[in-house]
């Protein structure tokens, strides 16, 4: 199979250009002058005339002549004296005289249609919603000027909206000052049996803020192998114009990903668009590896876990029984019943931990229940078993906490990798030598998996750890190799990179650091870039033989537990370490898990439902990507609603921390 190239003709259904027809159709909308003009038929079909609805004057209105002369007439028409009362609204604040004032209101049909598209996308509503009587009644009350639209028009509006937002995101990627890191994963829709690929771009912008956008959510064509997926990715990166700006690719441990990465490396080598010959290109999903490690151990602890699982399932199965259980917990044991019993999911080990944690919280209630319900007694635990559950839960909490940290997508995680893996390694070593013999077989099983995947720490992520001022360890040769590449690139394009590496003057210092970090003075407190730059120039005369990396490594380390925003740190230090900050910007953009893509699949399940299984793949991509881009613009924060406490029991599996890897 040949790799896609820029010289290959791109088909219309390529996941990118197929949206152009919706934009072109939108451009052919009727001019608003026809709201006040009437088209007149002529004997000559090549001619068209228009009559003013106010003064009845007739004008020529050929399509080639445009409508500017008609608009000019309407602006000066003497008969147009009656203002449309529907274009006015009563102001909520009265005038100084105490009389309600009337203010001008202009109905904008385009903005109204855009708002409807936003409503459909954010709520994952069916396009048929716009044809429902209730929706049309609501719109008629809210805006009498609104003209009803069909589901086909609503779908076309969403595609047009996607195409416009896609161009804006493409411009953001083009303006990204550094390189772009990718995460990707595949998902199979149970309702359509289509195999989807999700590609998410991560980068640090000019204000040193971490950004992420879904740039691909597209159905694949069989066969679903590494070569076919590599073709899809090369095409995607070329369409977005970032095929020469890729730094790393985070993937899970599927075999086809190794084949895909091999072909991508060869492709990028041919275009000279890869650093250090691809030594740092592939990053394996740490959350996925952690999942494999813990599941290997939990298989040996299934007896006691199984009893808790079946007991909770028994209580939750009956609504009456569930209500009685929480009533007893509230009135007899005075527990906060807003925290519910959690049911685990077989493919999510972290849901096992949450289930054990909730069972420990309700331990006394479960024992009480076992003494009074004969059917539940087979699930009741002895005191020794409860003690083992408490020990197991404490042991698993380390893995759960590290998984939650690794799974973040709104903050840098590359610098946290080394410390997280070290914590896991240490708890395994300490536990196997500890006093709890029942854990020993499980821990040994987990150690085998750990050594299989993490016997050697990831080089690129270890380099990222060094660029966090908390951690300076012993892998400097690899970091220096990477830094030399950036020095060469900086010298060859010094004029363009100098502007991108500086922090924008409009970006205020993050005041949140001062609230959580009492020792901020240890690394300079507030940075004055001009003073910092002068000090750097003075020092450089005496340390000219040292690189910026050497100078940085001589800086005193911060305390391990000190609170610091690592992006904010490098934003403030970008003048002093202009070349090293370029490396830090790219390294810290690496996502060490594919959770960003996994979350998109959760969204995809809400878009592709049994009632919407006939949606075209291009429509699915438009809805999923638009929803993600709106979240990036903090749209959801403005309209989000607090979930009712009563919903907790039914929606527990939607917890982000329980994402399946």
């Amino acid at each position: 199979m040949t790799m896609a190239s820029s010289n290959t003709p791109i088909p219309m259904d390529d996941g990118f250009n197929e949206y152009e027809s919706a934009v072109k159709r939108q451009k052919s909308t009727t001019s608003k002058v026809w709201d006040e003009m009437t088209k007149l038929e002529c004997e000559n079909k090549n001619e068209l005339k228009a009559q003013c609805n106010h003064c009845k004057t007739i004008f020529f209105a050929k399509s080639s002549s445009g409508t500017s002369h008609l608009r000019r007439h309407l602006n000066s028409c003497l008969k147009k004296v009656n203002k449309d009362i529907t274009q006015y609204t009563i102001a909520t604040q009265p005038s100084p005289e105490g009389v309600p004032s009337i203010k001008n209101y202009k109905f904008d049909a385009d903005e109204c249609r855009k708002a409807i598209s936003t409503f459909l996308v954010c709520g994952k509503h069916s396009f048929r919603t716009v044809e429902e009587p209730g929706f049309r009644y609501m719109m008629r009350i809210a805006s009498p000027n609104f003209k009803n639209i069909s589901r086909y028009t609503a779908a076309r509006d969403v595609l047009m909206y996607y195409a416009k937002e896609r161009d804006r995101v493409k411009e953001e990627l083009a303006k990204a000052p550094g390189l772009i890191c990718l995460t990707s994963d595949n998902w199979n829709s149970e309702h359509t049996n289509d195999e989807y690929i999700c590609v998410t771009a991560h980068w640090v912008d000019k204000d040193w803020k971490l950004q992420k956008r879904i740039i691909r959510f597209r159905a694949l064509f069989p066969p679903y192998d590494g070569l076919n997926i590599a073709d899809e990715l090369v095409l995607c990166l070329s369409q977005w114009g970032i095929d020469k700006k890729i730094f790393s690719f985070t993937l899970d441990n599927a075999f086809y990903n190794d084949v895909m990465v091999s072909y991508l490396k060869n492709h990028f080598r041919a275009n000279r668009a890869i650093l250090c010959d691809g030594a740092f290109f592939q990053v394996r999903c740490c959350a996925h590896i952690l999942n494999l490690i813990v599941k290997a151990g939990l298989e040996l602890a299934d007896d006691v876990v199984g009893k808790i699982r079946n007991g909770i399932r028994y209580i939750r199965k009956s609504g009456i029984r569930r209500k009685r259980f929480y009533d007893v917990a509230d009135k007899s044991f005075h527990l906060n019943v807003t925290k519910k019993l959690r049911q685990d999911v077989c493919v999510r080990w972290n849901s096992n931990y949450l289930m054990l944690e909730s069972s420990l919280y309700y331990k006394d209630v479960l024992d009480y229940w076992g003494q009074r319900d004969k059917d539940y007694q087979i699930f009741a635990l002895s005191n020794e078993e409860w003690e083992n559950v408490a020990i197991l839960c404490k042991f698993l909490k380390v893995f759960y906490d590290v998984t939650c940290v690794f799974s973040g997508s709104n903050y840098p995680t590359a610098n946290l990798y080394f410390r997280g893996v070290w914590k896991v390694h240490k708890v395994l070593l300490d536990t196997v030598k500890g006093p709890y013999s029942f854990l020993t077989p499980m821990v040994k099983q987990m150690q085998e998996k750990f050594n299989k995947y993490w016997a050697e720490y990831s080089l690129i992520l270890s380099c990222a750890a060094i660029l966090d001022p908390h951690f300076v360890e012993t892998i400097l040769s690899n970091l220096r190799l990477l830094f030399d590449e950036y020095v060469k690139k900086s010298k060859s394009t010094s004029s363009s990179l100098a502007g991108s590496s500086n922090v924008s003057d409009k970006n205020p210092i993050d005041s949140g650091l001062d609230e959580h970090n009492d020792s901020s003075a240890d690394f300079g407190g507030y940075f004055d870039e001009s003073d910092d730059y002068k000090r750097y120039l003075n020092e450089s005369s005496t340390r000219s033989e040292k690189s910026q990396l050497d100078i940085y490594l001589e800086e005193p380390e911060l305390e391990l537990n000190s609170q610091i925003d690592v992006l904010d740190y490098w934003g403030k230090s970008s003048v002093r370490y202009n070349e090293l900050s370029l490396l830090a910007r790219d390294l810290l953009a690496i996502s060490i898990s594919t959770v960003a893509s996994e979350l998109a699949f959760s969204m995809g399940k809400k878009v592709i439902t049994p009632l919407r299984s006939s949606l075209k793949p291009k429509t699915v991509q438009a809805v999923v990507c638009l929803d993600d881009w709106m979240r990036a613009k903090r749209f959801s924060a403005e309209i989000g609603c607090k979930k009712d406490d009563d919903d907790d029991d039914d929606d527990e599996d939607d917890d982000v921390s329980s994402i399946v890897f």
Side-chain angles (χ1 to χ4, degrees):
M1 181 179 292
T2 58
M3 302 298 288
S5 67
S6 57
N7 298 325
T8 305
I10 298 177
M12 282 300 294
D13 59 344
D14 63 350
F16 205 84
N17 295 296
E18 56 189 324
Y19 299 93
E20 303 305 323
S21 58
V23 178
K24 291 178 180 178
R25 185 176 302 195
Q26 176 68 16
K27 290 180 179 178
S28 63
T29 54
T30 305
S31 172
K32 293 182 180 180
V33 301
W34 297 112
D35 293 338
E36 301 177 71
M37 290 278 184
T38 302
K39 295 180 181 180
L40 301 177
E41 295 183 1
C42 302
E43 295 182 2
N44 186 352
K45 294 184 179 181
N46 294 326
E47 292 184 3
L48 179 65
K49 291 184 180 181
Q51 184 179 50
C52 175
N53 294 343
H54 306 291
C55 65
K56 307 303 180 184
T57 304
I58 297 176
F59 302 88
F60 285 103
K62 286 185 178 181
S63 59
S64 59
S65 302
T67 58
S68 299
H69 63 297
L70 302 179
R71 188 177 295 106
R72 285 194 296 270
H73 168 75
L74 291 173
N75 290 336
S76 59
C77 181
L78 298 177
K79 295 288 186 179
K80 186 181 176 182
V81 292
N82 295 323
K83 302 295 184 181
D84 185 359
I85 192 63
T86 62
Q87 296 297 322
Y88 288 82
T89 57
I90 304 297
T92 56
Q93 297 296 329
S95 64
E97 293 78 15
V99 180
S101 60
I102 296 179
K103 64 178 182 179
N104 190 25
Y105 158 71
K106 182 68 174 177
F107 173 73
D108 192 326
D110 292 337
E111 281 298 316
C112 191
R113 294 261 290 268
K114 181 179 177 181
I116 291 175
S117 296
T118 302
F119 164 76
L120 295 172
V121 168
C122 291
K124 318 299 183 299
H125 300 294
S126 167
F127 295 125
R128 291 180 179 271
T129 302
V130 299
E131 296 179 345
E132 292 177 0
F135 179 85
R136 291 186 168 180
Y137 172 75
M138 177 186 70
M139 293 304 300
R140 187 171 72 248
I141 297 299
S143 181
N145 290 342
F146 176 73
K147 295 181 179 179
N148 291 330
I149 59 175
S150 68
R151 61 182 183 272
Y152 305 107
T153 302
R156 196 161 56 243
D157 284 351
V158 167
L159 297 182
M160 179 204 66
Y161 190 13
Y162 165 80
K164 289 182 178 179
E165 286 296 304
R166 179 201 63 195
D167 293 341
R168 187 185 61 80
V169 174
K170 186 176 181 180
E171 185 178 355
E172 287 183 17
L173 291 170
K175 291 181 178 178
L179 298 180
I180 295 168
C181 302
L182 301 175
T183 58
S184 179
D185 206 349
N186 291 6
W187 168 68
N188 182 268
S189 171
E190 60 180 314
H191 303 302
T192 64
N193 205 32
D194 287 327
E195 187 82 8
Y196 282 84
I197 183 172
C198 179
V199 182
T200 307
H202 306 255
W203 75 97
V204 177
D205 65 17
K206 62 181 180 63
D207 296 325
W208 288 88
K209 301 297 182 184
L210 186 64
Q211 303 290 340
K212 73 174 182 70
R213 304 287 187 276
I214 296 176
I215 61 174
R216 197 75 155 188
F217 194 92
R218 175 168 164 75
L220 296 170
F221 296 102
Y224 310 126
D225 55 20
L227 295 177
N228 194 30
I229 296 175
D231 253 351
E232 180 73 18
L233 288 169
V234 170
L235 177 62
C236 170
L237 300 181
S238 175
Q239 290 168 338
W240 283 92
I242 57 175
D243 48 334
K244 295 186 178 180
K245 294 186 67 174
I246 302 303
F247 183 74
S248 69
F249 216 137
T250 303
L251 304 158
D252 63 22
N253 295 293
F255 173 74
Y256 62 80
N257 281 332
D258 294 334
V259 177
M260 178 194 70
V261 167
S262 176
Y263 273 81
L264 287 179
K265 283 183 179 180
N266 292 333
H267 175 80
F268 289 137
R269 285 191 192 105
N271 293 314
R272 298 181 179 179
I274 194 168
L275 287 171
C276 300
D277 198 39
F280 308 117
F281 181 71
Q282 183 178 9
V283 178
R284 297 189 182 275
C285 175
C286 296
H288 185 260
I289 294 174
L290 207 54
N291 178 57
L292 296 176
I293 292 173
V294 179
K295 286 181 70 175
L298 282 177
E299 289 177 356
L300 301 180
D302 197 50
D303 290 343
V304 65
V305 174
K307 290 176 72 173
I308 292 176
R309 177 187 300 117
N310 293 328
I312 292 177
R313 184 179 294 137
Y314 170 78
I315 292 174
R316 285 166 53 106
K317 189 174 183 180
S318 166
I320 297 176
R321 193 158 49 231
R322 184 168 62 240
K323 185 178 184 302
R324 284 181 53 209
F325 178 88
Y326 289 124
D327 284 343
V328 170
D330 180 23
K331 296 175 182 178
S332 301
F333 294 90
H334 309 292
L335 296 177
N336 180 9
V337 294
T338 58
K339 180 175 182 178
K340 305 296 183 182
L341 281 174
R342 304 293 294 257
Q343 183 72 60
D344 67 343
V345 181
C346 61
V347 294
R348 303 175 181 175
W349 82 263
N350 35 8
S351 69
N352 298 142
Y353 165 76
L354 293 173
M355 179 185 71
L356 296 178
E357 184 191 42
S358 70
S359 68
L360 285 171
Y361 181 76
Y362 284 104
K363 171 185 176 299
D364 294 337
V365 187
L366 291 171
D367 286 341
Y368 174 89
W369 200 267
Q371 295 170 5
R372 287 160 176 77
D373 189 332
K374 294 181 180 180
D375 293 331
Y376 179 81
Q377 288 178 356
I378 58 174
F379 309 124
L381 271 63
S382 65
N383 290 334
E384 181 182 356
E385 287 176 321
W386 276 120
E387 290 176 3
N388 289 344
V389 169
I391 295 169
L392 177 62
C393 194
K394 184 178 180 180
F395 171 71
L396 291 177
K397 188 177 188 305
V398 176
F399 297 85
Y400 178 79
D401 291 342
V402 172
T403 298
C404 290
V405 171
F406 282 0
S407 302
S409 57
N410 296 320
Y411 56 85
T413 54
N415 57 305
L416 305 176
Y417 158 84
F418 197 86
R419 188 181 184 185
V421 175
W422 171 78
K423 278 186 175 181
V424 170
H425 196 181
K426 186 175 185 301
V427 76
L428 289 175
L429 292 175
D430 292 346
T431 305
V432 79
K433 300 175 184 177
Y436 309 117
S437 57
F438 78 97
L439 285 178
T440 302
M442 181 174 70
V443 173
K444 288 184 177 180
Q445 192 87 352
M446 296 168 74
Q447 280 182 319
E448 290 181 10
K449 285 288 184 180
F450 182 95
N451 293 332
K452 177 180 178 180
Y453 293 107
W454 280 337
E456 295 182 3
Y457 291 120
S458 168
L459 292 178
I460 187 65
L461 296 180
S462 299
C463 291
I466 290 181
L467 292 177
D468 186 327
H470 294 102
F471 315 112
V472 179
E473 296 294 338
T474 59
I475 29 178
L476 300 181
S477 59
N478 294 288
L479 182 59
R480 287 194 170 96
L481 174 65
L482 194 58
F483 175 66
D484 289 342
E485 292 279 343
Y486 275 76
V487 172
K488 294 175 185 177
K489 187 170 68 169
S490 176
K491 290 179 179 178
S492 63
T493 57
S494 57
S495 59
S496 60
L497 290 180
S500 64
S501 62
N502 291 332
V503 179
S504 170
D505 293 337
K506 298 180 181 179
N507 183 31
I509 301 298
D510 184 7
S511 59
L513 276 178
D514 297 332
E515 299 176 6
H516 304 289
N517 181 19
D518 296 332
S519 60
S520 60
D522 293 344
F523 49 94
Y526 182 85
F527 278 70
D528 186 321
E529 292 183 350
S530 60
D531 292 342
D532 198 36
Y533 184 59
K534 292 175 183 176
R535 184 165 59 253
Y536 166 70
L537 291 177
N538 292 333
E539 293 174 353
S540 63
S541 60
T542 58
R543 300 189 295 183
S544 58
E545 72 282 357
K546 294 183 179 180
S547 69
Q548 291 180 13
L549 178 58
D550 293 325
I551 297 171
Y552 166 76
L553 292 174
E554 291 176 357
E555 295 277 352
E557 293 182 26
L558 300 179
E559 291 185 9
L560 192 61
N561 295 323
S562 61
Q563 299 292 325
I564 178 176
D565 183 335
V566 67
L567 288 179
D568 187 57
Y569 172 88
W570 279 104
K572 295 170 181 176
S573 305
S574 59
V575 174
R576 185 178 187 186
Y577 301 119
N578 61 320
E579 292 172 343
L580 188 58
S581 67
L582 300 177
L583 172 58
R585 186 195 297 274
D586 295 340
L587 278 176
L588 295 174
I590 297 175
S591 175
I592 62 175
S593 76
T594 59
V595 168
S597 297
E598 293 282 354
L599 290 175
F601 299 149
S602 297
M603 197 188 312
K605 293 176 183 177
K606 298 177 182 178
V607 175
I608 307 175
T609 64
L611 298 178
R612 305 183 75 190
S613 57
S614 61
L615 281 178
K616 293 181 179 178
K618 72 173 184 179
T619 306
V620 174
Q621 174 170 263
V623 172
V624 171
C625 289
L626 265 179
D627 185 77
D628 176 72
W629 300 342
M630 290 176 187
R631 291 172 186 271
K633 293 193 296 185
R634 300 292 186 261
F635 178 83
S636 58
E638 299 175 6
I639 63 172
C641 300
K642 183 181 182 296
K643 186 171 67 173
D644 294 336
D645 291 338
D646 293 341
D647 294 337
D648 290 347
D649 198 37
D650 297 326
D651 297 335
E652 290 163 355
D653 294 337
D654 291 336
D655 193 331
V656 173
S657 63
S658 298
I659 197 72
V660 54
F661 303 106

